Amino acid sequence: MTTPKRALITGVTGQDGSYLSELLLEQGYEVHGIIRRTSTFNTDRIDHIYEDPHQEGARLFLHYGDLTDGTTLRRVLEAVQPVEIYNLGAQSHVRVSFDCPEYTVDAVGMGTLRILEAIRDYQHRTGIQVRFYQAGSSEMFGLVQEVPQRETTPFYPRSPYACAKVYAHWQTVNYRESYGLFACNGILFNHESPRRGETFVTRKITRALARIVAGQQKKLYMGNLDAKRDWGYAKDYVKAMWLMLQQEAPDDYVVATGETHSIREFLDIAFGYVNLNWQDYVEFDERYLRPAEVDLLIGDPAKAKTQLGWEPSVTFEQLVHLMVEADLKGMGLVPLNGHSVQPVIDTATLRPTVLSSLP
Ligand code: NAP
Ligand code: GDD
């Protein structure tokens, strides 16, 4: 019997971590994820693939750790001995990074450096190559210097989060060039799914829509509706991460759909799905604005398509629909023909939630 390839994922409990774990398990890997200690469990996105490690054949293992804790990262690396590391962990909310810049930069920027240093020493000592994927972001293009954005487009970050991602990007390049690490940067444009965090704009909209239809929410408060994003499907995007680490040589790749749409267009399609007019529900609240905004993102995925053979499989409209459908189902609502909706739950006990109001 051959030993399975072993991968280590930071951010395994996140949207991408969960889809990547599924993909790697399907490919026969043994998957190790780093989770943070929290007072309540937040493993919802991976519970369906988790197996009791006492069981023979279990292939998903979790380890406590944190990107701000270099000692533990080294210890986990030594214990797991992975051949691939995917660094997906981050305080990934751009607006929140303005509120908590030091922590964001520590986790996103220094966290990446801590892992790179750990790999450098481990590889030097053992002679075992560890392939490294860094979760870079289209936010690094910020005030865009070229349309569409490609691998050669200069960065112009506009938030603490984006500045930290630029630092992590260049450290990854630097460790590749200085120490010969097999280290790749994915420059991923926005990617969404029913597992998207509830305060990112797409999921905030689809979740609020389901609550409005269920009678649990009357209004949806939002910020800048004019911003444009290149939105794809998260499940497609984790495939690109994996493909990058299967190439002969390490490199950096833009992963995007090549289309851009405004928040208004997202609202049109989402509310239109259940025959509602979003203008009747959406209100402006300035607390959702950012001190500096990224107005337009649109990526050119030509290199990923040619060199990785990667293609997005879901259109913008399909993405909005699949997210709306999932949130309606989550509320116990069944979309009927023509997309009218049949409430199947008792909505009498309505309560506001923290999630409905935090940026
Ligand atoms: P996400 O859903 O916010 O997940 C972030 C993950 O990082 C969670 O597992 C989180 O753990 C973990 N994490 C946060 N702080 C940490 C720390 N200090 N130490 C260790 N782990 C920590 O993000 P995502 O959408 O899956 O994105 C994955 C990565 O891709 C992130 O680095 C993000 O910045 C980047 N990215 C995302 C997009 C996108 O559109 N989704 C685009 C470009 C780049 P908890 O569950 O405990 O919070
Ligand atoms: N979150 C949020 N909430 N965004 C809003 C709102 C609101 O109420 N109203 C308008 N927006 C606008 C934001 O100002 C931004 O222009 C756009 O919606 C998208 O915001 P987010 O969904 O929060 O995503 P993001 O583009 O800032 O960042 C995401 O994508 C990056 C890749 O480009 C995150 O996933 C980052 O981690 C990722 O790197």
Side-chain angles (χ1 to χ4, degrees), residues 13-16 36 42 66-67 88 90 92 103 161 165 191:
T13 53
Q15 171 189 255
D16 292 4
R36 301 192 287 173
N42 63 351
D66 197 298
L67 284 161
L88 311 185
S92 72
Y103 171 68
Y161 166 81
K165 283 286 183 189
H191 45 277

Side-chain angles (χ1 to χ4, degrees), residues 128-149:
I128 300 168
Q129 188 188 60
V130 183
R131 297 187 171 204
F132 176 72
Y133 172 82
Q134 166 55 19
S137 164
S138 51
E139 276 291 303
M140 299 189 293
F141 296 121
L143 187 62
V144 298
Q145 303 293 297
E146 185 182 22
V147 177
Q149 296 87 53

Side-chain angles (χ1 to χ4, degrees), residues 91-103:
Q91 188 303 90
S92 72
H93 201 285
V94 174
R95 173 68 186 80
V96 174
S97 80
F98 286 99
D99 298 329
C100 310
E102 280 187 37
Y103 171 68

Side-chain angles (χ1 to χ4, degrees), residues 108-109 112 116 134-137 140-141 151 155 162-176 184-187 252-253:
V108 173
T112 305
L116 286 167
Q134 166 55 19
S137 164
M140 299 189 293
F141 296 121
E151 291 78 6
F155 296 139
C163 290
K165 283 286 183 189
V166 171
Y167 174 82
H169 174 97
W170 284 114
Q171 282 293 19
T172 301
V173 173
N174 186 241
Y175 274 63
R176 182 165 76 211
C184 300
N185 287 293
I187 306 175
D252 307 326
Y253 299 88

